[in-house]
Amino acid sequence: MLTRIITGVIGISAAAFIITKGGELFSIAVLALSIIGWYEFKQLAACKGYNVYYMTSGLPVVLMTASAGIYYVYFFGRSDITNLFSWLLMVAVIFFLLAMLEALIRYCCCNEEKWLANTALSVFGMLYCGILFSYIIILRTFGENQSVDLGFTTIDYGETLLWVVLLGTWASDTFAYFFGRAIGKHPFCRVSPKKTLEGAGAGFISSIMVVLMLMHAFLSMSWYQAVIPSLCVAVFAPLGDLVESIVKRSFGAKDSGKIFPGHGGVLDRFDSLLFVAPVTYYVVRIIVYGF
């Protein structure tokens, strides 16, 4: 527990510095996380004898996340973000087709028997670690040149939105963990036997309350408007956690990695945010801009 707390304090402090600094540092940090997360996924698959391709899975992860970072650093507020979405889609489609080609070559030339499973896992890893990590950066760009006055300082709208999402996600994880340990009696999901219905309920309620209050207080949303993104964070945070648990269980692993002592790997720590970031981006975009 002590190791978990120490790692958490250091991690939150580092995250606060990187998010506040923004720019190149933030983009490089997210890029590094996406690469490490993809490598963790590759290693998990290798435990069961599967091969996640470097060129048609790992390379597009780098291209997608780096592209979002380049847009944020060099073109933020000066170009239409739909150009970035078009680029991400193009990369995904092209490398999907290249993965099919690589699988065919491996099947014909290397007699690879698990070519279908390897190809499917390669595409999954590309989307899971490429597209979803990119949205952490994309969420940071929300609002272009708009800013939020906190009273003692002014920060970008996107930074504020990212903090709201992070705090809502952390509230979900933290309250679910401690309430589950304290009063949890009824299993919530067989995917993760230690999770309880009581803990899940506490995480759900706390997440809604945190996001609802912060969006109303700092993002100038009415209570009515803030309800939908609050529900999205409360629902998709545990969903992301459960999906990552299924991935680990499918490969017979307890943690995705060991980079964070007491917490596991990158995918263990960012599984909830990977689901919450894109959903929140589009929901808030619809509320603010109509689409």
Side-chain angles (χ1 to χ4, degrees), residues 27-45 52-54 56-69 88 91-92 120-138 243-244 247 251 256 265-268 270-271 273-275 277-278:
S27 299
I28 292 172
V30 177
L31 174 60
L33 291 173
S34 70
I35 294 172
I36 296 171
W38 177 84
Y39 186 74
E40 288 177 353
F41 178 76
K42 178 178 173 61
Q43 293 301 104
L44 287 174
V52 177
Y53 306 144
Y54 277 103
T56 55
S57 182
L59 179 58
V61 167
V62 175
L63 290 177
M64 290 176 180
T65 315
S67 297
L88 294 178
V91 171
L121 288 171
S122 296
V123 174
F124 179 85
M126 172 185 68
L127 298 176
Y128 189 51
C129 299
I131 291 290
L132 298 187
F133 268 105
S134 296
Y135 269 91
I136 297 177
I137 299 177
I138 293 171
V243 167
E244 198 257 349
V247 171
F251 295 130
S256 66
V266 167
L267 296 181
D268 293 316
F270 290 87
D271 50 7
L273 183 60
L274 291 181
F275 275 49

Side-chain angles (χ1 to χ4, degrees), residues 9-21 26 163 166 170 270:
V9 171
I10 295 174
I12 292 174
S13 301
F17 175 76
I18 292 171
I19 293 171
T20 303
K21 192 72 174 177
F26 177 75
W163 273 116
L166 283 171
W170 290 340
F270 290 87

Side-chain angles (χ1 to χ4, degrees), residues 185-208:
K185 295 181 180 180
H186 302 88
F188 174 61
C189 181
R190 69 184 183 90
V191 173
S192 188
K194 292 184 178 181
K195 289 183 172 59
T196 64
L197 189 61
E198 292 82 0
F204 181 78
I205 294 171
S206 62
S207 180
I208 289 178

Side-chain angles (χ1 to χ4, degrees), residues 139-174:
L139 190 67
R140 180 69 169 78
T141 70
F142 194 95
E144 295 188 350
N145 295 318
Q146 296 182 48
S147 60
V148 176
D149 186 2
L150 301 181
F152 58 92
T153 187
T154 300
I155 64 176
D156 293 337
Y157 190 100
E159 180 183 346
T160 308
L161 181 58
L162 179 57
W163 273 116
V164 171
V165 168
L166 283 171
L167 292 172
T169 302
W170 290 340
S172 175
D173 291 342
T174 303

Side-chain angles (χ1 to χ4, degrees), residues 50-113:
Y50 298 110
N51 181 24
V52 177
Y53 306 144
Y54 277 103
M55 291 302 296
T56 55
S57 182
L59 179 58
V61 167
V62 175
L63 290 177
M64 290 176 180
T65 315
S67 297
I70 291 171
Y71 169 84
Y72 169 52
V73 173
Y74 297 106
F75 301 103
F76 180 45
R78 296 197 299 266
S79 64
D80 191 349
I81 196 171
T82 55
N83 294 329
L84 173 60
F85 294 144
S86 298
W87 168 259
L88 294 178
L89 178 61
M90 183 184 73
V91 171
V93 171
I94 289 176
F95 277 90
F96 171 79
L97 296 176
L98 289 177
M100 302 297 108
L101 176 61
E102 181 171 357
L104 178 62
I105 294 173
R106 287 174 176 271
Y107 181 78
C108 295
C109 301
C110 305
N111 297 319
E112 186 172 277
E113 296 181 355

Side-chain angles (χ1 to χ4, degrees), residues 203-222:
F204 181 78
I205 294 171
S206 62
S207 180
I208 289 178
M209 292 178 62
V210 168
V211 177
L212 191 66
M213 289 187 294
L214 291 177
M215 284 194 166
H216 177 71
F218 299 114
L219 297 180
S220 301
M221 286 190 184
S222 66

